[in-house]
C-alpha cells in the first residue's frame, strides 16, 4: 500500500511538473509574439483610409540617413501630411515628418521633412505611374514599420472620397459596432 502511494505521489508530481512547464512555455511564447507585433509598427496614417478609398496596397523600402533611423527607433515620425510623388521615373515620399533626436551630431543639420526616395521594382513603378497619371489615383503612405531590421513603408493606391462617401463609411462603422454590442449582450 505504501509503495502504491509513493508511485502515485511521484506520478502526481511528474504530471504537475509537466503541466507547469508546458503552461509557462505557452505564456513565454505568447509574450514573445506580442512583443514582436508591437515593435514592428512605427507609425500609422489612420486618417488615410477615411479620406481615401484604397484600391491596392504596396510595400516599399526607404532611403534614410543614420539620424532618421535612430529617430524612427525612438518612434518620432508622423505620416499625416505625407504623400508619394512620382518624378523622373522614381517615387519620392514627401511631407513625412521624422523629427530628429536631441543627440544628433553637431556636424549634421537634419531636415525633418526632406523628400525621401522609395525603393520599388521597375514594373511596380511603371504600373503606379500609369494609374496615377491616366486614371487619377493618388499614392498615400499608410504605415511605417520594421521588417527584418529594415524600415519599410506601406503605400496605398486610391481615390479621394467625397463627403457623402465619408458619411456612408462612418454609418457602416457605427452599425458594425452597434451590431457587435447587441450580439455580446444577447450571448451573456
Amino acid at each position: 500500500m505504501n509503495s502504491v502511494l509513493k508511485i502515485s505521489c511521484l506520478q502526481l508530481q511528474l504530471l504537475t511538473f509537466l503541466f507547469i512547464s508546458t503552461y509557462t512555455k505557452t505564456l513565454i511564447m505568447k509574450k514573445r509574439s506580442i512583443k514582436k507585433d508591437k515593435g514592428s509598427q512605427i507609425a500609422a496614417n489612420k486618417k488615410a483610409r477615411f479620406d481615401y478609398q484604397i484600391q491596392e496596397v504596396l510595400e516599399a523600402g526607404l532611403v534614410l540617413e543614420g539620424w532618421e533611423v535612430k529617430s524612427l527607433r525612438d518612434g518620432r515620425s508622423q505620416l499625416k501630411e505625407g504623400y508619394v510623388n512620382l518624378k523622373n521615373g522614381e517615387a519620392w515620399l514627401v511631407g513625412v515628418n521624422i523629427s530628429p533626436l536631441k543627440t544628433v551630431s553637431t556636424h549634421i543639420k537634419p531636415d525633418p521633412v526632406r523628400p525621401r526616395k522609395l525603393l520599388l521594382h521597375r514594373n511596380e513603378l511603371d504600373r503606379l505611374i500609369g494609374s496615377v497619371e491616366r486614371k487619377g489615383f493618388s499614392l498615400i503612405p499608410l504605415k511605417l514599420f520594421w521588417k527584418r531590421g529594415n524600415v519599410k513603408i506601406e503605400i496605398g493606391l486610391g481615390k479621394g472620397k467625397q463627403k457623402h462617401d465619408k458619411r456612408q463609411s462612418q454609418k457602416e462603422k457605427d452599425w458594425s459596432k452597434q451590431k457587435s454590442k447587441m450580439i455580446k449582450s444577447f450571448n451573456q
Side-chain angles (χ1 to χ4, degrees), residues 101-142:
L101 293 172
K102 303 277 187 215
T103 59
V104 174
S105 296
T106 56
H107 65 279
I108 296 174
K109 299 228 187 300
D111 182 15
V113 289
R114 75 174 184 88
R116 294 164 183 93
K117 188 174 179 179
L118 294 179
L119 303 173
L120 291 163
H121 291 285
R122 173 56 48 197
N123 59 356
E124 290 175 332
L125 272 170
D126 292 340
R127 192 166 35 94
L128 289 176
I129 289 169
S131 55
V132 167
E133 289 180 355
R134 291 185 200 98
K135 298 177 186 172
F137 283 96
S138 300
L139 288 169
I140 308 102
L142 300 175

Side-chain angles (χ1 to χ4, degrees), residues 3-116:
S3 64
V4 174
L5 284 175
K6 283 183 182 177
I7 292 173
S8 63
C9 287
L10 287 174
Q11 287 176 342
L12 183 63
Q13 286 176 344
L14 182 63
L15 286 173
T16 55
F17 173 75
L18 290 174
F19 175 76
I20 289 172
S21 63
T22 55
Y23 182 71
T24 54
K25 280 182 186 176
T26 56
L27 284 178
I28 290 170
M29 294 300 281
K30 284 181 184 177
K31 284 182 182 177
R32 286 183 185 159
S33 64
I34 290 169
K35 283 182 183 176
K36 285 182 184 175
D37 291 341
K38 281 185 180 176
S40 65
Q41 185 170 328
I42 301 168
N45 190 355
K46 295 178 185 176
K47 193 83 170 159
R49 293 199 188 269
F50 182 73
D51 290 338
Y52 294 92
Q53 192 170 16
I54 306 297
Q55 303 290 328
E56 187 180 346
V57 177
L58 293 166
E59 181 181 305
L62 275 167
V63 177
L64 297 172
E65 294 177 358
W67 66 269
E68 292 172 324
V69 176
K70 288 180 181 179
S71 296
L72 289 175
R73 287 198 193 283
D74 200 32
R76 295 170 158 258
S77 63
Q78 192 174 25
L79 295 175
K80 228 184 241 180
E81 298 161 4
Y83 61 95
V84 178
N85 192 5
L86 298 171
K87 188 173 20 173
N88 298 331
E90 295 178 335
W92 294 86
L93 184 64
V94 182
V96 172
N97 188 357
I98 300 176
S99 54
L101 293 172
K102 303 277 187 215
T103 59
V104 174
S105 296
T106 56
H107 65 279
I108 296 174
K109 299 228 187 300
D111 182 15
V113 289
R114 75 174 184 88
R116 294 164 183 93

Side-chain angles (χ1 to χ4, degrees), residues 7 26 32 61 89 95 100 139 145 150 169-170 181:
I7 292 173
T26 56
R32 286 183 185 159
L139 288 169
F145 59 97
N150 295 323
S169 64
Q170 187 66 34
K181 284 180 184 178

